[in-house]
Amino acid sequence: MAALTNGQDRRARFTAVFPKLQKELIEFVIAQGFPQEALSWFQRNLEYNAPGGKLNRGMSVVDTLEILRGEPLSEEEYFKSALLGWCVELLQAFFLVSDDIMDTSITRRGQPCWYRVEGVGMIAINDAFMLEGAIYHLLKSHFRKDSYYVDLLDLFHETTFQTELGQLIDLITAPEDHIDLDRFSLRKHQLIVIYKTAYYSFYLPVALAMYMAGIQDQAAFKQAQDILIPLGEYFQVQDDYLDCYGAPEFIGKIGTDILDNKCSWNVNVALAACTPEQRRVLDETYGRKDSICEAKVKEIFLAVDIPGKYAAYEQQSYEKINGLIDGIAETPGGLKRDVFRAFLSKIYKRTK
């Protein structure tokens, strides 16, 4: 568990791998005979969009492999697992660059969205494709001779498709320019959360580490998925709740889900619990770019006791996930409960 105890050292070691991968990608482009202008653009694209986040998804690949191994990783194992982690981060970057264009977002990670950077514009669409393409170049370069290479390709392709399906449900359910709360439901919210977030943020990093650890039993992958998808769902519900009730200084942003007409857990629970009069107010105020309307929505959230309902949901989810974790029968070379406990400990009762 050493990889989980020192956050700064852990992040620094993981971050140190990225320049090596970037250099490899740039050298590939150079070998194709592309001009300096294209090289500089691709390099800036990589540097601007890949390394700026929390990196939790990427580092989870390394942490999971170390737990499964039960001992510190060799230099080669660390590099290859970190490379897979950076492939997850490149996938995340591909999704975010694309998502920001679709949502006409302004900022991302404290800086302008890539498409809003001067001179970039809609070239960002191609840049997103290049971020995705970099994943498969790196996989081919470093894993082609491994027995699980095709499994890695299949996992990335499947996860990408699942995330895009989740994005579709999100886009057609809650467009910012057409507010219709009749489109919302807890079932749609669940689909958005599972497909847009849980698969690539929780299942993908663990499944990648499982393949590296030599796990082939499909029942083990099914068991991991059965734990990680509810865990990812809980994480996103928690994120929705904190958007409204988390202090900006702790969550690092001012919540905008109400203003942006998001199909969030909060509003769906409120829609299921509100009176006809409260529903009328929600129809008139939700998704409007107006602070007074936002305040009225928050009044209804309190009236139907969103905080109390969330506390009950959180405890129920925690007990359910712990029960699933306890159900793992640990065997040599198989799944370890600590993989999932590490995830749960990071997010249970979090405030940011």
Side-chain angles (χ1 to χ4, degrees), residues 17-31:
V17 173
F18 182 72
K20 300 173 186 176
L21 305 180
Q22 179 178 305
K23 182 173 181 287
E24 179 181 329
L25 291 166
I26 295 299
E27 286 176 349
F28 171 75
V29 178
I30 291 173

Side-chain angles (χ1 to χ4, degrees), residues 162-163 165-167 169-170 173 183-199 226 228-237 240 263-269 313 316-317 320:
Q162 288 165 327
T163 308
L165 288 169
Q167 174 75 338
I169 297 294
D170 193 14
T173 299
R183 295 185 180 191
F184 288 11
S185 70
L186 279 168
R187 175 56 180 159
K188 282 186 179 177
H189 176 265
Q190 184 182 46
L191 284 171
I192 293 167
V193 165
I194 289 173
Y195 282 86
K196 189 176 176 179
T197 300
Y199 275 111
D226 287 346
L228 291 163
I229 297 308
L231 212 161
E233 185 178 358
Y234 161 49
F235 172 84
Q236 188 59 51
V237 169
D240 288 0
C263 181
S264 78
W265 184 84
N266 299 327
V267 71
N268 278 292
V269 171
Y313 168 86
Q316 182 184 23
S317 297
K320 174 187 174 182

Side-chain angles (χ1 to χ4, degrees), residues 8-231:
Q8 288 184 329
D9 289 349
R10 190 172 138 260
R11 183 185 174 95
R13 189 181 183 193
F14 181 76
T15 302
V17 173
F18 182 72
K20 300 173 186 176
L21 305 180
Q22 179 178 305
K23 182 173 181 287
E24 179 181 329
L25 291 166
I26 295 299
E27 286 176 349
F28 171 75
V29 178
I30 291 173
Q32 312 310 305
F34 279 79
Q36 184 59 46
E37 182 182 15
L39 299 178
S40 298
W41 188 286
F42 183 40
Q43 183 165 350
R44 189 182 177 208
N45 175 18
L46 289 168
E47 291 173 351
Y48 197 94
N49 294 303
K54 296 176 183 176
L55 307 182
N56 288 335
R57 294 169 179 83
M59 290 189 291
S60 293
V61 181
V62 180
D63 292 343
T64 299
L65 182 62
E66 189 164 54
I67 293 169
L68 292 173
R69 286 275 192 254
E71 59 186 14
L73 304 178
S74 68
E75 284 299 318
E76 182 184 3
E77 285 177 324
Y78 182 87
F79 176 77
K80 291 183 78 168
S81 61
L83 185 153
L84 288 176
W86 277 109
C87 285
V88 177
E89 294 296 329
L90 285 166
L91 186 70
Q92 157 93 333
F94 160 54
F95 291 149
L96 296 185
V97 170
S98 305
D99 189 59
D100 287 342
I101 296 170
M102 287 181 261
D103 289 348
T104 60
S105 298
I106 306 298
T107 60
R108 168 73 66 181
R109 296 171 175 169
Q111 59 186 3
C113 296
W114 177 240
Y115 82 99
R116 291 183 63 87
V117 171
E118 186 176 356
V120 176
M122 289 302 104
I123 298 174
I125 297 172
N126 190 64
D127 291 335
F129 295 156
M130 291 183 71
L131 292 168
E132 182 192 27
I135 296 167
Y136 298 101
H137 177 80
L138 293 171
L139 292 178
K140 181 179 178 180
S141 295
H142 294 274
F143 292 92
R144 192 174 186 181
K145 295 179 181 179
D146 290 298
S147 61
Y148 53 91
Y149 173 56
V150 173
D151 294 314
L152 298 180
L153 296 178
D154 182 58
L155 184 59
F156 270 102
H157 283 306
E158 186 75 7
T159 304
T160 301
F161 188 36
Q162 288 165 327
T163 308
E164 289 161 351
L165 288 169
Q167 174 75 338
L168 172 64
I169 297 294
D170 193 14
L171 290 169
I172 64 177
T173 299
E176 284 192 53
D177 59 351
H178 182 73
I179 300 162
D180 181 1
L181 298 186
D182 285 336
R183 295 185 180 191
F184 288 11
S185 70
L186 279 168
R187 175 56 180 159
K188 282 186 179 177
H189 176 265
Q190 184 182 46
L191 284 171
I192 293 167
V193 165
I194 289 173
Y195 282 86
K196 189 176 176 179
T197 300
Y199 275 111
Y200 93 90
S201 298
F202 287 83
Y203 178 66
L204 175 61
V206 171
L208 290 169
M210 288 171 68
Y211 281 123
M212 264 202 79
I215 297 174
Q216 291 293 326
D217 181 11
Q218 288 307 301
F221 285 91
K222 176 66 165 60
Q223 188 168 32
Q225 183 172 300
D226 287 346
I227 297 170
L228 291 163
I229 297 308
L231 212 161

Side-chain angles (χ1 to χ4, degrees), residues 242-315:
L242 290 174
D243 183 89
C244 186
Y245 295 103
E249 61 268 28
F250 291 118
I251 64 175
K253 63 179 181 177
I254 297 172
T256 60
D257 283 359
I258 294 171
L259 298 173
D260 293 343
N261 190 38
K262 293 295 184 182
C263 181
S264 78
W265 184 84
N266 299 327
V267 71
N268 278 292
V269 171
L271 288 169
C274 66
T275 65
E277 175 58 22
Q278 289 169 333
R279 171 58 191 261
R280 182 187 65 77
V281 174
L282 287 174
D283 283 330
E284 293 174 354
T285 57
Y286 194 79
R288 272 68 179 182
K289 308 288 188 183
D290 181 280
S291 60
I292 295 175
C293 289
E294 181 185 31
K296 289 180 179 179
V297 172
K298 288 186 175 181
E299 285 177 11
I300 292 174
F301 283 1
L302 286 176
V304 300
D305 193 21
I306 292 296
K309 287 177 168 59
Y310 172 74
Y313 168 86
E314 181 168 54
Q315 190 58 35

